[in-house]
Amino acid sequence: MLCLPGLTRNARDFAAFAAIYASRHRILALEFRGRGQSDHDPVPARYVPLTYAGDVLQFLDELTIPQAIFVGTSLGGLVTMTVAALSPDRIAASILNDVGPQLSNEGLDRIRSYVGKDIRFKTWDAAAHAIADNNNHVPASFTQADWVRMARRICREQDGEIIFDYDMAIALTFNTAGPTPQFDMWPVFAALARKPLLVIRGEKSDLLTSAAAEEMRKVAPSAKLAVVPGVGHAPELDEPEAVTAIDRFLDSLTA
């Protein structure tokens, strides 16, 4: 299973997911260039899904992996769809986490409001408060301890400060060209849906609306859809509803 994270995120987002599924599958979590331990790109214009898709295919080639189950959260799902356009045979099945071919401007504007701002923190509590604000305090069930745990996934310590663990330059292409490839993604989504597909949506998501998710079901009637209650963008994939849906989906692949 190849796990691809969101725009500002990294492989740490999949730690809980890996703990659940590593006994059944080989779990690989890739950090896109400019995130986590991957190098920053000296040419920010290359921070686009087409580049990331090429990196993913090279990654699979170097590990001699002919095919994988793709698990894409947000940007990772857009990259999964791009891979489906470039090299569909590399995808055995896919799980799209709170993303699709049509994204809400409300959610995109919220992300634009914070991405690429080099804000630094003195304490993990301060970082947690900022991240809660960035997410409109959704899920509402999250405690301060939950937000601190999220902060420790998104940020890192450097020179006595806590900083976001990504290259601020990723915002340049996001804020100009936008997060999606510059062509109609619906045919690409339909191509992806020729393989087994599970779409997971956060009930409170402001990026993948319920209307967009229903349209995805019309375009891909064989795809499965699961909604995680009380969660926004994006589910962490260890929620009971997400785990149940993923378990059923994986079981169906071997039935």
Side-chain angles (χ1 to χ4, degrees), residues 109-131:
D109 287 344
R110 178 180 58 80
I111 294 169
R112 287 190 187 99
S113 73
Y114 66 79
V115 69
K117 294 183 178 178
D118 190 13
I119 301 171
R120 295 162 183 248
F121 310 98
K122 295 299 183 184
T123 68
W124 284 106
D125 276 335
H129 282 299
I131 289 165

Side-chain angles (χ1 to χ4, degrees), residues 36 81 103 117 160 194 219 225 228 231:
M81 286 188 274
L103 304 178
K117 294 183 178 178
R194 295 189 187 111
V219 171
L225 173 64
V228 181
V231 173

Side-chain angles (χ1 to χ4, degrees), residues 13 33 47-48 72 108 132 141 144 146-147 184 188 222 232 238 240:
D13 270 358
R33 59 176 70 192
Y47 284 138
V48 291
L108 293 174
S141 61
Q144 176 66 6
D146 291 322
W147 290 115
D184 184 1
V188 178
S222 62
D238 63 347

Side-chain angles (χ1 to χ4, degrees), residues 3 9 11-21 71 73 97-98 131 135 138-139 141-142 145-151 153-154 200-202 228-229 231-243 246:
C3 301
R9 312 297 280 263
R12 296 191 292 275
D13 270 358
F14 294 103
F17 178 87
I20 295 169
Y21 292 104
V71 182
T73 294
N97 183 21
D98 212 60
I131 289 165
N135 287 276
V138 177
S141 61
F142 264 26
D146 291 322
W147 290 115
V148 168
R149 279 191 288 272
M150 182 178 286
R153 294 200 306 269
I154 298 173
I200 296 177
R201 176 180 177 270
V228 181
V231 173
H233 181 74
E236 298 188 353
L237 302 183
D238 63 347
E239 301 91 348
E241 297 83 2
V243 172
I246 294 168

Side-chain angles (χ1 to χ4, degrees), residues 77-175:
L78 297 176
V79 174
T80 297
M81 286 188 274
T82 307
V83 171
L86 296 174
S87 190
D89 290 344
R90 307 308 289 269
I91 300 176
S94 57
I95 298 171
L96 295 183
N97 183 21
D98 212 60
V99 68
Q102 178 180 320
L103 304 178
S104 165
N105 285 330
E106 179 185 353
L108 293 174
D109 287 344
R110 178 180 58 80
I111 294 169
R112 287 190 187 99
S113 73
Y114 66 79
V115 69
K117 294 183 178 178
D118 190 13
I119 301 171
R120 295 162 183 248
F121 310 98
K122 295 299 183 184
T123 68
W124 284 106
D125 276 335
H129 282 299
I131 289 165
D133 287 344
N134 290 344
N135 287 276
N136 291 333
H137 294 263
V138 177
S141 61
F142 264 26
T143 65
Q144 176 66 6
D146 291 322
W147 290 115
V148 168
R149 279 191 288 272
M150 182 178 286
R152 288 184 178 275
R153 294 200 306 269
I154 298 173
C155 302
R156 61 184 169 87
E157 293 182 273
Q158 178 178 292
D159 299 328
E161 296 179 308
I162 296 165
I163 64 171
F164 289 107
D165 199 7
Y166 66 88
D167 181 4
M168 296 297 119
I170 67 171
L172 298 176
T173 52
F174 181 83
N175 289 329

